[in-house]
Amino acid sequence: MSVNREVKKITTNTLLKMKQVGEKISMITAYDFSFAKIFDAAGIDIILVGDSASNVMAGHETTLPITLDQMIYHASSVVRGCSRSLIIVDLPFGSYQGNSKEALNSTIRIMKETGAHAIKLEGGEEILESVKRIISAGVPVMGHLGLTPQSIYKFGTYTVRAREEEEAEKLKRDALLLQEAGCFGIVLEKIPASLAKEVSAHLSIPTIGIGAGNDCDGQVLVMHDMLGINTEFKPRFLRTYLNLHEEVTGAVQKYIEDIKSKDFPNENEQY
Ligand code: KIV
């Protein structure tokens, strides 16, 4: 006899209700089955298969080199590890900027080949037609404004965005356009907390902040940063919850020592 254990899955409607009742939304990136399984079981609301995989998984300097095929590989691994979290996948650079048909085709590949629930893309007015086309095909879309790493060579640096009035006004306009187009949420990356507060209060859809202060409706961090795997990246907005780099280094050094000293394996660790 099978026992039917009901798992209450997070949907885009759940997120909307969380905003309405003031419950903060938790989001973290993941790129593989094993970590996704831990995060899902720990109760995270959203797992983002970010194109930051290009940096933290593949060692590239930017998010630009990662391909649609590579994102699909990461996303399908994550999906196999989850039973509750909402899984969002980044459309990688070059897979949607051409035109809205290309954006929809890339989205369809992600949805068909990974089993994920939604996609995220970077930009405002410039990508609005693609956002509308994807949503009209029935796929939930999350926007991403502020620091948009796929445009790093246009910005030139990873510093805080929208400090100046003109850029802040554009960001506010873009946020409203994305909401009107039907996005279910927007990531706000590295913008002044006061601007993120204003945008979050103005929108009916949730905002998820990274370096955007405490008034966003939720927060997201890259797993390698918050777990202390990546020790070189220490922006002011980051809180590290573990020092996994040190823990793993210690464990591997002890393992090497045990092999060299012939302590491992012992009698109980052999057949
Ligand atoms: O790719 C990513 O990890 C992201 C987050 C930083 C929001 O887009």
PDB file of all heavy atoms in Angstrom, residues 27-31 48-56 63 71 90 120 122 142-144 147-150 187-189 208-210 220-223 225 237, ligand 1:
ATOM      1  N   MET A  27      14.505  32.788  -1.143  1.00  0.00           N
ATOM      2  CA  MET A  27      14.947  32.272  -2.454  1.00  0.00           C
ATOM      3  C   MET A  27      16.462  32.068  -2.402  1.00  0.00           C
ATOM      4  O   MET A  27      17.179  32.863  -1.785  1.00  0.00           O
ATOM      5  CB  MET A  27      14.543  33.289  -3.521  1.00  0.00           C
ATOM      6  CG  MET A  27      15.035  33.071  -4.924  1.00  0.00           C
ATOM      7  SD  MET A  27      13.987  34.055  -6.085  1.00  0.00           S
ATOM      8  CE  MET A  27      15.077  34.352  -7.434  1.00  0.00           C
ATOM      9  N   ILE A  28      16.926  31.005  -3.024  1.00  0.00           N
ATOM     10  CA  ILE A  28      18.370  30.707  -3.071  1.00  0.00           C
ATOM     11  C   ILE A  28      18.658  30.104  -4.439  1.00  0.00           C
ATOM     12  O   ILE A  28      17.758  29.546  -5.068  1.00  0.00           O
ATOM     13  CB  ILE A  28      18.758  29.730  -1.918  1.00  0.00           C
ATOM     14  CG1 ILE A  28      20.279  29.626  -1.774  1.00  0.00           C
ATOM     15  CG2 ILE A  28      18.165  28.336  -2.125  1.00  0.00           C
ATOM     16  CD1 ILE A  28      20.724  28.926  -0.494  1.00  0.00           C
ATOM     17  N   THR A  29      19.884  30.222  -4.887  1.00  0.00           N
ATOM     18  CA  THR A  29      20.228  29.574  -6.158  1.00  0.00           C
ATOM     19  C   THR A  29      20.651  28.129  -5.893  1.00  0.00           C
ATOM     20  O   THR A  29      21.088  27.787  -4.787  1.00  0.00           O
ATOM     21  CB  THR A  29      21.403  30.285  -6.876  1.00  0.00           C
ATOM     22  OG1 THR A  29      22.595  30.119  -6.110  1.00  0.00           O
ATOM     23  CG2 THR A  29      21.115  31.753  -7.097  1.00  0.00           C
ATOM     24  N   ALA A  30      20.485  27.285  -6.888  1.00  0.00           N
ATOM     25  CA  ALA A  30      21.041  25.925  -6.861  1.00  0.00           C
ATOM     26  C   ALA A  30      21.271  25.512  -8.302  1.00  0.00           C
ATOM     27  O   ALA A  30      20.620  26.045  -9.226  1.00  0.00           O
ATOM     28  CB  ALA A  30      20.095  24.955  -6.172  1.00  0.00           C
ATOM     29  N   TYR A  31      22.181  24.574  -8.475  1.00  0.00           N
ATOM     30  CA  TYR A  31      22.571  24.198  -9.834  1.00  0.00           C
ATOM     31  C   TYR A  31      22.667  22.678 -10.013  1.00  0.00           C
ATOM     32  O   TYR A  31      22.966  22.207 -11.103  1.00  0.00           O
ATOM     33  CB  TYR A  31      23.939  24.826 -10.188  1.00  0.00           C
ATOM     34  CG  TYR A  31      24.050  26.263  -9.736  1.00  0.00           C
ATOM     35  CD1 TYR A  31      24.632  26.595  -8.512  1.00  0.00           C
ATOM     36  CD2 TYR A  31      23.510  27.288 -10.512  1.00  0.00           C
ATOM     37  CE1 TYR A  31      24.706  27.907  -8.069  1.00  0.00           C
ATOM     38  CE2 TYR A  31      23.582  28.608 -10.083  1.00  0.00           C
ATOM     39  CZ  TYR A  31      24.179  28.911  -8.863  1.00  0.00           C
ATOM     40  OH  TYR A  31      24.238  30.211  -8.433  1.00  0.00           O
ATOM     41  N   LEU A  48      16.294  29.256  -7.518  1.00  0.00           N
ATOM     42  CA  LEU A  48      16.622  29.870  -8.805  1.00  0.00           C
ATOM     43  C   LEU A  48      17.810  29.132  -9.410  1.00  0.00           C
ATOM     44  O   LEU A  48      18.881  29.061  -8.792  1.00  0.00           O
ATOM     45  CB  LEU A  48      16.995  31.348  -8.610  1.00  0.00           C
ATOM     46  CG  LEU A  48      17.585  32.033  -9.847  1.00  0.00           C
ATOM     47  CD1 LEU A  48      16.552  32.155 -10.970  1.00  0.00           C
ATOM     48  CD2 LEU A  48      18.143  33.416  -9.499  1.00  0.00           C
ATOM     49  N   VAL A  49      17.607  28.578 -10.585  1.00  0.00           N
ATOM     50  CA  VAL A  49      18.741  28.044 -11.338  1.00  0.00           C
ATOM     51  C   VAL A  49      19.283  29.245 -12.108  1.00  0.00           C
ATOM     52  O   VAL A  49      18.836  29.577 -13.204  1.00  0.00           O
ATOM     53  CB  VAL A  49      18.316  26.898 -12.282  1.00  0.00           C
ATOM     54  CG1 VAL A  49      19.543  26.281 -12.944  1.00  0.00           C
ATOM     55  CG2 VAL A  49      17.518  25.844 -11.524  1.00  0.00           C
ATOM     56  N   GLY A  50      20.201  29.950 -11.450  1.00  0.00           N
ATOM     57  CA  GLY A  50      20.691  31.218 -11.984  1.00  0.00           C
ATOM     58  C   GLY A  50      21.766  30.997 -13.034  1.00  0.00           C
ATOM     59  O   GLY A  50      22.489  29.991 -13.009  1.00  0.00           O
ATOM     60  N   ASP A  51      21.894  31.992 -13.909  1.00  0.00           N
ATOM     61  CA  ASP A  51      23.005  31.906 -14.867  1.00  0.00           C
ATOM     62  C   ASP A  51      24.322  32.244 -14.170  1.00  0.00           C
ATOM     63  O   ASP A  51      25.390  32.199 -14.775  1.00  0.00           O
ATOM     64  CB  ASP A  51      22.762  32.773 -16.108  1.00  0.00           C
ATOM     65  CG  ASP A  51      22.580  34.239 -15.781  1.00  0.00           C
ATOM     66  OD1 ASP A  51      22.553  34.600 -14.592  1.00  0.00           O
ATOM     67  OD2 ASP A  51      22.453  35.041 -16.727  1.00  0.00           O
ATOM     68  N   SER A  52      24.255  32.543 -12.848  1.00  0.00           N
ATOM     69  CA  SER A  52      25.474  32.637 -12.032  1.00  0.00           C
ATOM     70  C   SER A  52      26.191  31.286 -12.020  1.00  0.00           C
ATOM     71  O   SER A  52      27.339  31.197 -11.578  1.00  0.00           O
ATOM     72  CB  SER A  52      25.124  33.079 -10.604  1.00  0.00           C
ATOM     73  OG  SER A  52      24.058  32.300 -10.088  1.00  0.00           O
ATOM     74  N   ALA A  53      25.538  30.230 -12.506  1.00  0.00           N
ATOM     75  CA  ALA A  53      26.219  28.939 -12.716  1.00  0.00           C
ATOM     76  C   ALA A  53      27.472  29.145 -13.569  1.00  0.00           C
ATOM     77  O   ALA A  53      28.467  28.434 -13.400  1.00  0.00           O
ATOM     78  CB  ALA A  53      25.277  27.966 -13.406  1.00  0.00           C
ATOM     79  N   SER A  54      27.392  30.117 -14.469  1.00  0.00           N
ATOM     80  CA  SER A  54      28.539  30.424 -15.324  1.00  0.00           C
ATOM     81  C   SER A  54      29.765  30.789 -14.483  1.00  0.00           C
ATOM     82  O   SER A  54      30.885  30.390 -14.793  1.00  0.00           O
ATOM     83  CB  SER A  54      28.164  31.590 -16.252  1.00  0.00           C
ATOM     84  OG  SER A  54      29.228  31.934 -17.098  1.00  0.00           O
ATOM     85  N   ASN A  55      29.526  31.537 -13.376  1.00  0.00           N
ATOM     86  CA  ASN A  55      30.617  31.933 -12.481  1.00  0.00           C
ATOM     87  C   ASN A  55      30.970  30.801 -11.517  1.00  0.00           C
ATOM     88  O   ASN A  55      32.100  30.318 -11.493  1.00  0.00           O
ATOM     89  CB  ASN A  55      30.225  33.161 -11.643  1.00  0.00           C
ATOM     90  CG  ASN A  55      29.670  34.298 -12.478  1.00  0.00           C
ATOM     91  OD1 ASN A  55      28.472  34.520 -12.493  1.00  0.00           O
ATOM     92  ND2 ASN A  55      30.535  35.012 -13.167  1.00  0.00           N
ATOM     93  N   VAL A  56      29.969  30.379 -10.725  1.00  0.00           N
ATOM     94  CA  VAL A  56      30.289  29.514  -9.576  1.00  0.00           C
ATOM     95  C   VAL A  56      30.441  28.041  -9.935  1.00  0.00           C
ATOM     96  O   VAL A  56      31.086  27.294  -9.211  1.00  0.00           O
ATOM     97  CB  VAL A  56      29.249  29.684  -8.438  1.00  0.00           C
ATOM     98  CG1 VAL A  56      29.269  31.101  -7.901  1.00  0.00           C
ATOM     99  CG2 VAL A  56      27.837  29.314  -8.872  1.00  0.00           C
ATOM    100  N   THR A  63      28.535  36.090 -16.551  1.00  0.00           N
ATOM    101  CA  THR A  63      27.448  35.132 -16.828  1.00  0.00           C
ATOM    102  C   THR A  63      27.249  34.926 -18.333  1.00  0.00           C
ATOM    103  O   THR A  63      26.413  34.116 -18.736  1.00  0.00           O
ATOM    104  CB  THR A  63      26.115  35.626 -16.218  1.00  0.00           C
ATOM    105  OG1 THR A  63      25.813  36.921 -16.752  1.00  0.00           O
ATOM    106  CG2 THR A  63      26.183  35.702 -14.708  1.00  0.00           C
ATOM    107  N   MET A  71      22.302  25.462 -19.178  1.00  0.00           N
ATOM    108  CA  MET A  71      21.257  25.841 -18.214  1.00  0.00           C
ATOM    109  C   MET A  71      20.228  24.711 -18.080  1.00  0.00           C
ATOM    110  O   MET A  71      19.742  24.426 -16.986  1.00  0.00           O
ATOM    111  CB  MET A  71      20.559  27.137 -18.651  1.00  0.00           C
ATOM    112  CG  MET A  71      21.399  28.393 -18.497  1.00  0.00           C
ATOM    113  SD  MET A  71      21.989  28.701 -16.813  1.00  0.00           S
ATOM    114  CE  MET A  71      20.452  29.010 -15.953  1.00  0.00           C
ATOM    115  N   ASP A  90      16.946  30.885 -15.193  1.00  0.00           N
ATOM    116  CA  ASP A  90      17.368  32.061 -15.965  1.00  0.00           C
ATOM    117  C   ASP A  90      17.469  31.730 -17.442  1.00  0.00           C
ATOM    118  O   ASP A  90      18.084  30.713 -17.814  1.00  0.00           O
ATOM    119  CB  ASP A  90      18.768  32.506 -15.503  1.00  0.00           C
ATOM    120  CG  ASP A  90      18.714  33.591 -14.448  1.00  0.00           C
ATOM    121  OD1 ASP A  90      17.685  34.289 -14.344  1.00  0.00           O
ATOM    122  OD2 ASP A  90      19.715  33.740 -13.716  1.00  0.00           O
ATOM    123  N   LYS A 120      13.205  33.397 -15.757  1.00  0.00           N
ATOM    124  CA  LYS A 120      13.548  34.780 -15.386  1.00  0.00           C
ATOM    125  C   LYS A 120      14.398  35.357 -16.514  1.00  0.00           C
ATOM    126  O   LYS A 120      15.228  34.648 -17.083  1.00  0.00           O
ATOM    127  CB  LYS A 120      14.328  34.807 -14.058  1.00  0.00           C
ATOM    128  CG  LYS A 120      14.906  36.174 -13.695  1.00  0.00           C
ATOM    129  CD  LYS A 120      15.353  36.250 -12.245  1.00  0.00           C
ATOM    130  CE  LYS A 120      16.770  35.793 -11.984  1.00  0.00           C
ATOM    131  NZ  LYS A 120      17.822  36.531 -12.708  1.00  0.00           N
ATOM    132  N   GLU A 122      16.440  39.262 -17.827  1.00  0.00           N
ATOM    133  CA  GLU A 122      16.934  40.564 -17.356  1.00  0.00           C
ATOM    134  C   GLU A 122      16.478  41.688 -18.272  1.00  0.00           C
ATOM    135  O   GLU A 122      16.556  41.564 -19.489  1.00  0.00           O
ATOM    136  CB  GLU A 122      18.469  40.552 -17.294  1.00  0.00           C
ATOM    137  CG  GLU A 122      19.024  39.552 -16.309  1.00  0.00           C
ATOM    138  CD  GLU A 122      20.550  39.592 -16.232  1.00  0.00           C
ATOM    139  OE1 GLU A 122      21.199  40.443 -16.877  1.00  0.00           O
ATOM    140  OE2 GLU A 122      21.101  38.739 -15.494  1.00  0.00           O
ATOM    141  N   MET A 142       9.515  35.886 -14.320  1.00  0.00           N
ATOM    142  CA  MET A 142      10.029  36.803 -13.296  1.00  0.00           C
ATOM    143  C   MET A 142      10.966  37.798 -13.981  1.00  0.00           C
ATOM    144  O   MET A 142      11.793  37.398 -14.814  1.00  0.00           O
ATOM    145  CB  MET A 142      10.765  36.008 -12.220  1.00  0.00           C
ATOM    146  CG  MET A 142      11.474  36.867 -11.193  1.00  0.00           C
ATOM    147  SD  MET A 142      12.067  35.905  -9.779  1.00  0.00           S
ATOM    148  CE  MET A 142      10.764  36.249  -8.602  1.00  0.00           C
ATOM    149  N   GLY A 143      10.827  39.088 -13.651  1.00  0.00           N
ATOM    150  CA  GLY A 143      11.718  40.104 -14.201  1.00  0.00           C
ATOM    151  C   GLY A 143      12.968  40.266 -13.341  1.00  0.00           C
ATOM    152  O   GLY A 143      13.077  39.670 -12.258  1.00  0.00           O
ATOM    153  N   HIS A 144      13.906  41.046 -13.823  1.00  0.00           N
ATOM    154  CA  HIS A 144      15.167  41.280 -13.097  1.00  0.00           C
ATOM    155  C   HIS A 144      15.661  42.673 -13.489  1.00  0.00           C
ATOM    156  O   HIS A 144      16.014  42.909 -14.646  1.00  0.00           O
ATOM    157  CB  HIS A 144      16.174  40.181 -13.475  1.00  0.00           C
ATOM    158  CG  HIS A 144      17.467  40.229 -12.724  1.00  0.00           C
ATOM    159  ND1 HIS A 144      18.244  39.107 -12.492  1.00  0.00           N
ATOM    160  CD2 HIS A 144      18.144  41.249 -12.144  1.00  0.00           C
ATOM    161  CE1 HIS A 144      19.338  39.454 -11.821  1.00  0.00           C
ATOM    162  NE2 HIS A 144      19.303  40.746 -11.604  1.00  0.00           N
ATOM    163  N   LEU A 147      21.029  45.988 -11.135  1.00  0.00           N
ATOM    164  CA  LEU A 147      22.250  45.407 -11.712  1.00  0.00           C
ATOM    165  C   LEU A 147      21.850  44.143 -12.467  1.00  0.00           C
ATOM    166  O   LEU A 147      21.350  43.190 -11.868  1.00  0.00           O
ATOM    167  CB  LEU A 147      23.263  45.081 -10.613  1.00  0.00           C
ATOM    168  CG  LEU A 147      24.536  44.384 -11.094  1.00  0.00           C
ATOM    169  CD1 LEU A 147      25.341  45.285 -12.011  1.00  0.00           C
ATOM    170  CD2 LEU A 147      25.404  43.967  -9.935  1.00  0.00           C
ATOM    171  N   THR A 148      22.046  44.178 -13.764  1.00  0.00           N
ATOM    172  CA  THR A 148      21.700  43.017 -14.588  1.00  0.00           C
ATOM    173  C   THR A 148      23.013  42.489 -15.182  1.00  0.00           C
ATOM    174  O   THR A 148      23.544  43.059 -16.148  1.00  0.00           O
ATOM    175  CB  THR A 148      20.693  43.419 -15.693  1.00  0.00           C
ATOM    176  OG1 THR A 148      21.138  44.642 -16.315  1.00  0.00           O
ATOM    177  CG2 THR A 148      19.317  43.639 -15.116  1.00  0.00           C
ATOM    178  N   PRO A 149      23.563  41.415 -14.583  1.00  0.00           N
ATOM    179  CA  PRO A 149      24.928  40.981 -14.928  1.00  0.00           C
ATOM    180  C   PRO A 149      25.154  40.648 -16.399  1.00  0.00           C
ATOM    181  O   PRO A 149      26.287  40.699 -16.868  1.00  0.00           O
ATOM    182  CB  PRO A 149      25.137  39.753 -14.030  1.00  0.00           C
ATOM    183  CG  PRO A 149      24.214  39.962 -12.882  1.00  0.00           C
ATOM    184  CD  PRO A 149      23.014  40.647 -13.453  1.00  0.00           C
ATOM    185  N   GLN A 150      24.081  40.314 -17.131  1.00  0.00           N
ATOM    186  CA  GLN A 150      24.283  40.018 -18.553  1.00  0.00           C
ATOM    187  C   GLN A 150      24.669  41.281 -19.340  1.00  0.00           C
ATOM    188  O   GLN A 150      25.139  41.190 -20.462  1.00  0.00           O
ATOM    189  CB  GLN A 150      23.019  39.390 -19.156  1.00  0.00           C
ATOM    190  CG  GLN A 150      22.753  37.981 -18.620  1.00  0.00           C
ATOM    191  CD  GLN A 150      21.492  37.346 -19.190  1.00  0.00           C
ATOM    192  OE1 GLN A 150      20.897  37.852 -20.130  1.00  0.00           O
ATOM    193  NE2 GLN A 150      21.088  36.226 -18.605  1.00  0.00           N
ATOM    194  N   VAL A 187      13.099  40.475  -9.543  1.00  0.00           N
ATOM    195  CA  VAL A 187      14.330  40.555  -8.747  1.00  0.00           C
ATOM    196  C   VAL A 187      14.867  41.978  -8.864  1.00  0.00           C
ATOM    197  O   VAL A 187      14.944  42.536  -9.969  1.00  0.00           O
ATOM    198  CB  VAL A 187      15.384  39.533  -9.234  1.00  0.00           C
ATOM    199  CG1 VAL A 187      16.769  39.856  -8.679  1.00  0.00           C
ATOM    200  CG2 VAL A 187      14.987  38.117  -8.845  1.00  0.00           C
ATOM    201  N   LEU A 188      15.216  42.575  -7.724  1.00  0.00           N
ATOM    202  CA  LEU A 188      15.845  43.902  -7.704  1.00  0.00           C
ATOM    203  C   LEU A 188      17.261  43.713  -7.192  1.00  0.00           C
ATOM    204  O   LEU A 188      17.472  43.340  -6.028  1.00  0.00           O
ATOM    205  CB  LEU A 188      15.070  44.844  -6.772  1.00  0.00           C
ATOM    206  CG  LEU A 188      13.623  45.157  -7.174  1.00  0.00           C
ATOM    207  CD1 LEU A 188      12.953  46.026  -6.116  1.00  0.00           C
ATOM    208  CD2 LEU A 188      13.559  45.833  -8.547  1.00  0.00           C
ATOM    209  N   GLU A 189      18.247  43.917  -8.065  1.00  0.00           N
ATOM    210  CA  GLU A 189      19.635  43.628  -7.674  1.00  0.00           C
ATOM    211  C   GLU A 189      20.440  44.909  -7.489  1.00  0.00           C
ATOM    212  O   GLU A 189      20.494  45.764  -8.391  1.00  0.00           O
ATOM    213  CB  GLU A 189      20.303  42.729  -8.735  1.00  0.00           C
ATOM    214  CG  GLU A 189      21.751  42.391  -8.369  1.00  0.00           C
ATOM    215  CD  GLU A 189      22.328  41.200  -9.133  1.00  0.00           C
ATOM    216  OE1 GLU A 189      21.592  40.550  -9.899  1.00  0.00           O
ATOM    217  OE2 GLU A 189      23.530  40.941  -8.941  1.00  0.00           O
ATOM    218  N   ILE A 208      11.940  40.588  -5.110  1.00  0.00           N
ATOM    219  CA  ILE A 208      12.928  39.763  -4.391  1.00  0.00           C
ATOM    220  C   ILE A 208      14.249  40.517  -4.491  1.00  0.00           C
ATOM    221  O   ILE A 208      14.752  40.751  -5.597  1.00  0.00           O
ATOM    222  CB  ILE A 208      13.078  38.363  -5.036  1.00  0.00           C
ATOM    223  CG1 ILE A 208      11.720  37.665  -5.233  1.00  0.00           C
ATOM    224  CG2 ILE A 208      14.032  37.506  -4.204  1.00  0.00           C
ATOM    225  CD1 ILE A 208      11.016  37.220  -3.995  1.00  0.00           C
ATOM    226  N   GLY A 209      14.817  40.874  -3.362  1.00  0.00           N
ATOM    227  CA  GLY A 209      16.007  41.708  -3.373  1.00  0.00           C
ATOM    228  C   GLY A 209      17.296  40.925  -3.209  1.00  0.00           C
ATOM    229  O   GLY A 209      17.340  39.872  -2.561  1.00  0.00           O
ATOM    230  N   ILE A 210      18.345  41.469  -3.828  1.00  0.00           N
ATOM    231  CA  ILE A 210      19.720  41.016  -3.547  1.00  0.00           C
ATOM    232  C   ILE A 210      20.534  42.306  -3.514  1.00  0.00           C
ATOM    233  O   ILE A 210      20.702  42.976  -4.532  1.00  0.00           O
ATOM    234  CB  ILE A 210      20.229  39.951  -4.570  1.00  0.00           C
ATOM    235  CG1 ILE A 210      21.727  39.667  -4.339  1.00  0.00           C
ATOM    236  CG2 ILE A 210      19.939  40.299  -6.016  1.00  0.00           C
ATOM    237  CD1 ILE A 210      22.218  38.359  -4.947  1.00  0.00           C
ATOM    238  N   VAL A 220      17.102  36.956  -2.027  1.00  0.00           N
ATOM    239  CA  VAL A 220      17.793  35.857  -2.701  1.00  0.00           C
ATOM    240  C   VAL A 220      19.297  36.024  -2.520  1.00  0.00           C
ATOM    241  O   VAL A 220      19.808  37.150  -2.491  1.00  0.00           O
ATOM    242  CB  VAL A 220      17.446  35.790  -4.215  1.00  0.00           C
ATOM    243  CG1 VAL A 220      17.767  37.062  -4.960  1.00  0.00           C
ATOM    244  CG2 VAL A 220      18.146  34.608  -4.907  1.00  0.00           C
ATOM    245  N   LEU A 221      19.993  34.902  -2.340  1.00  0.00           N
ATOM    246  CA  LEU A 221      21.459  34.907  -2.342  1.00  0.00           C
ATOM    247  C   LEU A 221      21.941  33.738  -3.188  1.00  0.00           C
ATOM    248  O   LEU A 221      21.237  32.724  -3.335  1.00  0.00           O
ATOM    249  CB  LEU A 221      22.020  34.780  -0.922  1.00  0.00           C
ATOM    250  CG  LEU A 221      21.951  36.027  -0.020  1.00  0.00           C
ATOM    251  CD1 LEU A 221      22.451  35.704   1.391  1.00  0.00           C
ATOM    252  CD2 LEU A 221      22.735  37.218  -0.594  1.00  0.00           C
ATOM    253  N   VAL A 222      23.135  33.885  -3.721  1.00  0.00           N
ATOM    254  CA  VAL A 222      23.788  32.801  -4.457  1.00  0.00           C
ATOM    255  C   VAL A 222      24.326  31.809  -3.422  1.00  0.00           C
ATOM    256  O   VAL A 222      24.983  32.199  -2.455  1.00  0.00           O
ATOM    257  CB  VAL A 222      24.926  33.364  -5.344  1.00  0.00           C
ATOM    258  CG1 VAL A 222      25.794  32.258  -5.917  1.00  0.00           C
ATOM    259  CG2 VAL A 222      24.331  34.220  -6.470  1.00  0.00           C
ATOM    260  N   MET A 223      24.012  30.523  -3.600  1.00  0.00           N
ATOM    261  CA  MET A 223      24.341  29.518  -2.573  1.00  0.00           C
ATOM    262  C   MET A 223      25.837  29.496  -2.234  1.00  0.00           C
ATOM    263  O   MET A 223      26.210  29.349  -1.073  1.00  0.00           O
ATOM    264  CB  MET A 223      23.860  28.115  -2.970  1.00  0.00           C
ATOM    265  CG  MET A 223      24.417  27.574  -4.266  1.00  0.00           C
ATOM    266  SD  MET A 223      24.294  25.768  -4.419  1.00  0.00           S
ATOM    267  CE  MET A 223      25.682  25.221  -3.424  1.00  0.00           C
ATOM    268  N   ASP A 225      27.889  31.877  -2.182  1.00  0.00           N
ATOM    269  CA  ASP A 225      28.245  33.040  -1.372  1.00  0.00           C
ATOM    270  C   ASP A 225      27.735  32.853   0.061  1.00  0.00           C
ATOM    271  O   ASP A 225      28.480  33.043   1.018  1.00  0.00           O
ATOM    272  CB  ASP A 225      27.643  34.318  -1.967  1.00  0.00           C
ATOM    273  CG  ASP A 225      28.115  34.565  -3.401  1.00  0.00           C
ATOM    274  OD1 ASP A 225      29.201  34.045  -3.753  1.00  0.00           O
ATOM    275  OD2 ASP A 225      27.401  35.237  -4.148  1.00  0.00           O
ATOM    276  N   PHE A 237      26.312  43.482   0.974  1.00  0.00           N
ATOM    277  CA  PHE A 237      24.971  42.928   1.172  1.00  0.00           C
ATOM    278  C   PHE A 237      24.974  41.465   1.591  1.00  0.00           C
ATOM    279  O   PHE A 237      23.963  40.918   2.009  1.00  0.00           O
ATOM    280  CB  PHE A 237      24.121  43.092  -0.099  1.00  0.00           C
ATOM    281  CG  PHE A 237      24.566  42.249  -1.280  1.00  0.00           C
ATOM    282  CD1 PHE A 237      24.310  40.881  -1.326  1.00  0.00           C
ATOM    283  CD2 PHE A 237      25.234  42.816  -2.352  1.00  0.00           C
ATOM    284  CE1 PHE A 237      24.713  40.110  -2.397  1.00  0.00           C
ATOM    285  CE2 PHE A 237      25.637  42.053  -3.440  1.00  0.00           C
ATOM    286  CZ  PHE A 237      25.370  40.691  -3.454  1.00  0.00           C
TER     287      PHE A 237
HETATM  288  O1  KIV B   1      22.005  34.289 -11.679  1.00  0.00           O
HETATM  289  C1  KIV B   1      21.723  34.532 -10.499  1.00  0.00           C
HETATM  290  O2  KIV B   1      22.191  33.887  -9.558  1.00  0.00           O
HETATM  291  C2  KIV B   1      20.803  35.644 -10.238  1.00  0.00           C
HETATM  292  C3  KIV B   1      20.653  36.088  -8.818  1.00  0.00           C
HETATM  293  C4  KIV B   1      21.844  36.839  -8.383  1.00  0.00           C
HETATM  294  C5  KIV B   1      19.399  36.841  -8.607  1.00  0.00           C
HETATM  295  O3  KIV B   1      20.224  36.167 -11.137  1.00  0.00           O
END
